[in-house]
Amino acid sequence: MTTTGQAHTDHQTGLTREQVAERVSRGEVNDVGERTSRSIGEIVRANVLTRFNAILGALFVLVMTTGSVADGLFGIILVLNSAIGITQEYLAKRKLDRLALLHAPTTRVVRDRRTTEVPTREVVLDDLIDLRAGDEVPADGVLLTSEGLELGEANLTGESDPVQHPAGDEIRSGTSVVAGSGRYHAKAVGRDAYVNRIAEEARRFTRTHSEIQASINTLLRYITWVIVVALPLQVWSQWTVVGDQGWQSVVLRSSAGVVGLVPEGLVLLTSVAFLLAAVQLTRDQVLVQQLPAVEGLARVDVVCLDKTGTLTVGEIALEDVRPVAGADVDEVRCALGALADDPNANGTLAAVGHAVDPPGWHRTATVPFNSQRKWSAACFDDHETWVLGAPEVLLSDGDPLRAEVADLARRGRRVVLLARSAEQLAGPELPADLTPAAVVTLTEQIRPDARETLAFFADEGVEIKIISGDNPETVAAVAREVGLDPGEPVDARGLSDDPEELREVLRRSVVFGRVTPEQKRAFVHALQADGHVVAMTGDGVNDALALKDADIGVAMGNGAQATKAVAELVLLDGRFAHLPKVLAEGRRVIGNVERVANLFVAKNAMSLVAILAAALASLPFPFLPRHLTLVSTLTIGTPALFLALGPNRQRYLPGFLARILRFAVPAGGIAGLAVIASYVLSGRGHGVPPGEFSARCEIARPGAALDLACVQPSTGATITLLVVFFWILVVLARPFRWWKVGLIAAMAVLAVLAFALPAANGFFGFHAPWTLVWQSLLTGLVGAVLIEVLHRWAGRSRPPRRPGADPAPA
């Protein structure tokens, strides 16, 4: 937002209520209207206006015009699929919005001479902002006053060391106050603020790539063209065969064939599998913002980690205090506690204060820490002057302690020196008689679960790249602590911008330090160009663009809002150890969706073969839509729902669509030929003579009677189709578990009841004399044997499975 008038404020008064209202009316506020997801309208449109819904919707309308409600049951799938997609995305949106509201920051501003707290989004241009330790900087501006103000700028630069800012310095939003205090006027708010300009591109909503969904979309494109060709052929062939029965018969017979070409349940089952995986992961404190992210992490072969906030908790801790030159350990700890007992303590002193209690010494003079001086000091009544700072500043050139300090630094420790002096402080000048008293080491707090998590990824063949804005040696030391071999750490400041050189460096190195936000993004691009599927974790705004461009972005729940907005996964409690659970869920989804996809595509192939065969032989299409609804429900839809939710630890293998087509298309072809054979045989031994079919076998309207002989060929074809598809289900359900056996048995019982119960066979239009039953069962068994042979042949080209894992679906 740019100002249209000069503010009349100073560092004491602040804006008046009227001035605030004027800026709000001009839109000069700090609210960027940030979106964590698509709007509700966009969600609805994306889930309703699909090719799948268009195909089934058109067929549903056609069937309903015939007055045969029973044959329009497939329309239920249309509504369910859209409802599930809308519900899942809306729930994810609500959860993230609630998370953002729960962590909504506040800012202290001076208005009408009074200091008050307001939501950060309500800060206006020219507001006088009061900063204290622990605050987030909400807008850009220039410091009016500074009392030892230090800002943590890791969110912007990745550098964990705080930066000192005196009065007159420009400060930027997205940073946080580590120590000290200060005041400044907000000169850039909202979209004009630096942090929001960086995040603007990252906030744009993008869809995660899903091999499953892309493959299904490819299938639907193919099927669309198949329907374009098959529909005229189906209508023409049915018109010539059953046209004398009226247009309703033509519509129903033609629609049955075309409905069979649409894998209506496949999209629904994919959505259900993703939805339930997302719900399960939410219970484990993982928010899935886009359904395909669950699948995506299972395909990842490189994980890029930002050290701060991922492997470490983002804070330093006191590790050890080593007295030197005969110093008393109790006196040293008292001196450290006294120095840390400072309301404006910097990060180092704050870490000391968490570990050492203050001794109650009375402070008489203080020199605050300064990044140029690199030391702080204080005088105390009845005690000496104590100084804490960088060893290279406080030690003389020949001091033997320098070697010890250098060794600790190489091992990734942050080292400071505690020194004493008998002189009183006289301004920001070091006393001349400094004597070393203790070497103090601090370390970043490693997440306790980091080592186990990284070991899991190593066992799974997933490469790790640690990318940080920190010192390369420090990053390498953290890598060693979590069990990685960092090799030779790389200082990114010396890297070339050439993509080929960058790819070569990434192939041979694991740890990278001093990496800029732009370089993080370039690293992701280079890895992708090398054929990798990349996941990126992070918590700061400096990670946002890299997270957006990665195949899977993983944000920490306590990270920057812009980062969470672009990530596909948010670890609500910030625990990196949840990622193995996400990977396991992804594998389950991929393996199980592939398993059930074979069922749906086999049905599509069967329908196409039946359409072509019926047209060539001048036969009525063997089924009505209700018959295919029965077969789909018992052998495909209901079993697929359970199979999609079962355990599956098979590793991801590329070629999802190719494997499906290799098995499902010939399996569907076998089923289609078996159906036509059964229909022809049933018509010869039962039913009515072909010449009388049109006169005697008009499809019954409500209340009308139908010659039972007319339905016998369709009954026989349905029995045969059930046998063949039950065997397809059997081979895809392997290896068997008790629940799989129970599922198949239950579906078989329901199939028998559909023929045995008078109400059921009346609804479906079945009539099955025993001779017809045995003939149809025998034809189906021939098809089942061919399915078994196909299954064994298709399984030869698959890689060996892991011990204890389910085999890859056919």
Side-chain angles (χ1 to χ4, degrees):
M1 311 293 175
T2 55
T3 184
T4 58
Q6 181 63 38
H8 300 288
T9 65
D10 57 33
H11 65 282
Q12 297 293 334
T13 305
L15 295 173
T16 65
R17 183 179 302 177
E18 291 77 16
Q19 289 172 322
V20 171
E22 178 186 355
R23 284 159 174 76
V24 171
S25 68
R26 296 200 299 256
E28 297 171 343
V29 294
N30 209 35
D31 188 359
V32 297
E34 182 175 293
R35 288 171 45 183
T36 58
S37 58
R38 297 188 289 189
S39 69
I40 294 177
E42 290 172 332
I43 291 172
V44 171
R45 286 193 295 273
N47 285 279
V48 172
L49 304 179
T50 66
R51 178 187 294 107
F52 163 75
N53 287 349
I55 294 171
L56 278 189
L59 293 174
F60 177 74
V61 171
L62 282 173
V63 170
M64 288 297 96
T65 60
T66 68
S68 181
V69 176
D71 288 309
L73 294 178
F74 63 87
I76 296 174
I77 303 297
L78 186 151
V79 177
L80 283 177
N81 190 67
S82 296
I84 287 175
I86 292 169
T87 301
Q88 193 281 335
E89 195 165 343
Y90 173 68
L91 291 177
K93 171 185 173 65
R94 282 184 59 195
K95 288 174 183 175
L96 187 64
D97 289 347
R98 285 178 180 173
L99 182 69
L101 182 62
L102 183 65
H103 293 86
T106 60
T107 299
R108 271 182 298 275
V109 297
V110 180
R111 294 177 179 174
D112 290 321
R113 297 181 180 273
R114 295 178 57 188
T115 301
T116 183
E117 282 195 14
V118 300
T120 299
R121 65 179 181 274
E122 294 181 10
V123 170
V124 301
L125 193 67
D126 297 320
D127 246 331
L128 180 58
I129 297 171
D130 183 50
L131 295 176
R132 301 176 194 174
D135 289 348
E136 296 290 325
V137 178
D140 302 348
V142 177
L143 281 172
L144 300 173
T145 64
S146 173
E147 297 181 12
L149 183 72
E150 293 182 3
L151 299 182
E153 300 182 348
N155 266 355
L156 299 183
T157 66
E159 172 59 66
S160 61
D161 290 329
V163 179
Q164 181 94 7
H165 284 281
D169 265 16
E170 180 181 359
I171 60 176
R172 290 173 167 174
S173 54
T175 58
S176 58
V177 180
V178 175
S181 60
R183 285 186 172 184
Y184 76 104
H185 285 144
K187 292 301 180 185
V189 297
R191 297 187 185 279
D192 287 343
Y194 177 76
V195 68
N196 293 327
R197 294 200 306 271
I198 288 180
E200 184 66 27
E201 180 182 354
R203 284 195 188 97
R204 297 170 189 164
F205 186 88
T206 56
R207 267 288 184 191
T208 304
H209 172 73
S210 163
E211 183 184 5
I212 291 177
Q213 291 186 338
S215 297
I216 291 172
N217 288 337
T218 300
L219 276 174
L220 287 177
R221 283 197 299 271
Y222 293 160
I223 290 168
T224 300
W225 287 109
V226 169
I227 291 174
V228 169
V229 175
L231 179 58
L233 175 64
Q234 174 77 338
V235 172
W236 171 80
S237 69
Q238 298 309 296
W239 184 267
T240 59
V241 175
V242 298
D244 293 344
Q245 298 179 13
W247 66 271
Q248 292 93 341
S249 296
V250 175
V251 167
L252 289 177
R253 295 279 179 181
S254 300
S255 296
V258 178
V259 166
L261 289 174
V262 180
E264 70 275 9
L266 179 56
V267 180
L268 172 62
L269 261 296
T270 302
S271 298
V272 169
F274 280 139
L275 169 63
L276 295 183
V279 170
Q280 178 60 43
L281 289 172
T282 301
R283 297 192 185 110
D284 292 325
Q285 296 297 301
V286 179
L287 178 61
V288 180
Q289 301 201 81
Q290 293 189 44
L291 284 174
V294 179
E295 170 209 341
L297 192 61
R299 294 189 289 110
V300 163
D301 59 1
V302 175
V303 176
C304 297
L305 306 176
D306 182 14
K307 171 184 69 66
T308 305
T310 303
L311 299 180
T312 68
V313 298
E315 300 174 359
I316 58 173
L318 179 65
E319 181 186 51
D320 194 19
V321 178
R322 305 182 188 182
V324 297
D328 180 72
V329 64
D330 292 331
E331 184 181 24
V332 164
R333 294 187 69 86
C334 285
L336 287 171
L339 287 170
D341 187 17
D342 183 347
N344 291 318
N346 63 7
T348 299
L349 285 176
V352 171
H354 284 306
V356 181
D357 294 329
W361 294 0
H362 180 258
R363 185 184 297 255
T364 59
T366 299
V367 176
F369 180 84
N370 179 283
S371 56
Q372 282 74 41
R373 287 192 299 268
K374 296 187 178 181
W375 58 269
S376 62
C379 298
F380 304 92
D381 280 343
D382 302 323
H383 296 281
E384 295 175 291
T385 296
W386 292 88
V387 181
L388 187 70
E392 61 268 24
V393 175
L394 303 184
L395 291 174
S396 60
D397 291 341
D399 196 303
L401 277 178
R402 283 183 172 270
E404 180 182 349
V405 167
D407 180 61
L408 289 169
R410 277 193 299 271
R411 283 154 43 195
R413 300 302 187 265
R414 185 172 297 188
V415 186
V416 292
L417 184 75
L418 178 68
R420 66 203 310 168
S421 170
E423 297 182 11
Q424 295 294 304
L425 291 170
E429 301 293 335
L430 278 174
D433 62 340
L434 275 181
T435 302
V439 174
V440 180
T441 57
L442 302 101
T443 184
E444 291 195 73
Q445 297 183 53
I446 304 295
R447 291 188 180 273
D449 46 27
R451 176 184 287 269
E452 181 181 353
T453 305
L454 294 181
F456 170 84
F457 280 119
D459 291 341
E460 298 300 320
V462 178
E463 293 183 48
I464 299 295
K465 304 291 181 185
I466 302 182
I467 300 172
S468 175
D470 251 344
N471 183 291
E473 293 294 340
T474 302
V475 182
V478 171
R480 292 187 193 95
E481 289 208 28
V482 296
L484 290 178
D485 178 8
E488 186 67 28
V490 176
D491 190 325
R493 291 174 296 186
L495 290 179
S496 167
D497 293 333
D498 181 70
E500 286 299 324
E501 293 185 24
L502 196 57
R503 288 167 63 181
E504 182 58 36
V505 172
L506 284 163
R507 289 187 193 117
R508 64 172 184 264
S509 301
V510 174
V511 170
F512 301 84
R514 304 299 185 196
V515 184
T516 66
E518 291 77 15
Q519 284 179 314
K520 289 185 179 182
R521 195 181 193 185
F523 282 15
V524 168
H525 292 169
L527 289 166
Q528 290 170 330
D530 238 7
H532 293 291
V533 180
V534 183
M536 176 78 191
T537 71
D539 60 351
V541 174
N542 62 306
D543 302 319
L545 294 178
L547 260 68
K548 177 179 181 291
D549 286 359
D551 296 282
I552 297 295
V554 182
M556 302 300 164
N558 57 353
Q561 185 61 31
T563 306
K564 290 183 288 187
V566 303
E568 286 80 19
L569 300 172
V570 180
L571 307 182
L572 298 178
D573 58 3
R575 290 184 58 201
F576 179 55
H578 290 312
L579 287 186
K581 294 180 182 178
V582 182
L583 186 142
E585 282 296 310
R587 286 180 173 173
R588 187 178 64 80
V589 168
I590 289 177
N592 289 342
V593 169
E594 181 176 336
R595 189 192 304 274
V596 301
N598 281 282
L599 289 170
F600 290 104
V601 177
K603 185 196 73 169
N604 306 146
M606 179 278 300
S607 294
L608 179 60
V609 170
I611 288 172
L612 295 174
L616 290 173
S618 297
L619 295 172
F621 188 74
F623 308 110
L624 296 177
R626 69 188 78 172
H627 299 150
L628 288 182
T629 298
L630 174 68
V631 175
S632 295
T633 301
L634 297 182
T635 66
I636 302 173
T638 303
L641 178 61
F642 288 92
L643 291 175
L645 306 180
N648 194 323
R649 295 184 295 131
Q650 176 66 34
R651 283 187 177 181
Y652 165 74
L653 299 170
F656 175 88
L657 181 57
R659 285 193 302 275
I660 291 173
L661 296 178
R662 186 171 62 241
F663 173 79
V665 171
I670 292 170
L673 293 175
V675 161
I676 292 298
S678 179
Y679 189 79
V680 171
L681 290 173
S682 299
R684 288 179 178 177
H686 304 82
V688 298
E692 301 176 21
F693 187 82
S694 294
R696 295 173 54 185
C697 299
E698 180 179 359
I699 294 176
R701 295 181 176 83
L706 179 67
D707 189 335
L708 292 178
C710 296
V711 300
Q712 289 173 351
S714 291
T715 302
T718 304
I719 293 172
T720 296
L721 184 61
L722 281 167
V723 172
V724 175
F725 263 87
F726 265 119
W727 200 256
I728 293 175
L729 176 61
V730 165
V731 298
L732 291 175
R734 296 170 184 166
F736 292 121
R737 302 287 185 266
W738 66 266
W739 62 271
K740 294 180 183 179
V741 174
L743 172 66
I744 296 172
M747 294 300 101
V749 169
L750 290 176
V752 171
L753 292 178
F755 292 89
L757 295 179
N761 63 42
F763 176 83
F764 288 107
F766 291 147
H767 184 249
W770 279 109
T771 53
L772 174 65
V773 171
W774 291 115
Q775 174 184 289
S776 302
L777 287 174
L778 181 61
T779 307
L781 288 174
V782 173
V785 170
L786 294 176
I787 293 295
E788 181 67 29
V789 172
L790 171 66
H791 175 69
R792 294 175 183 273
W793 169 81
R796 290 179 181 175
S797 59
R798 297 189 200 102
R801 65 187 179 98
R802 294 177 63 203
D806 281 0

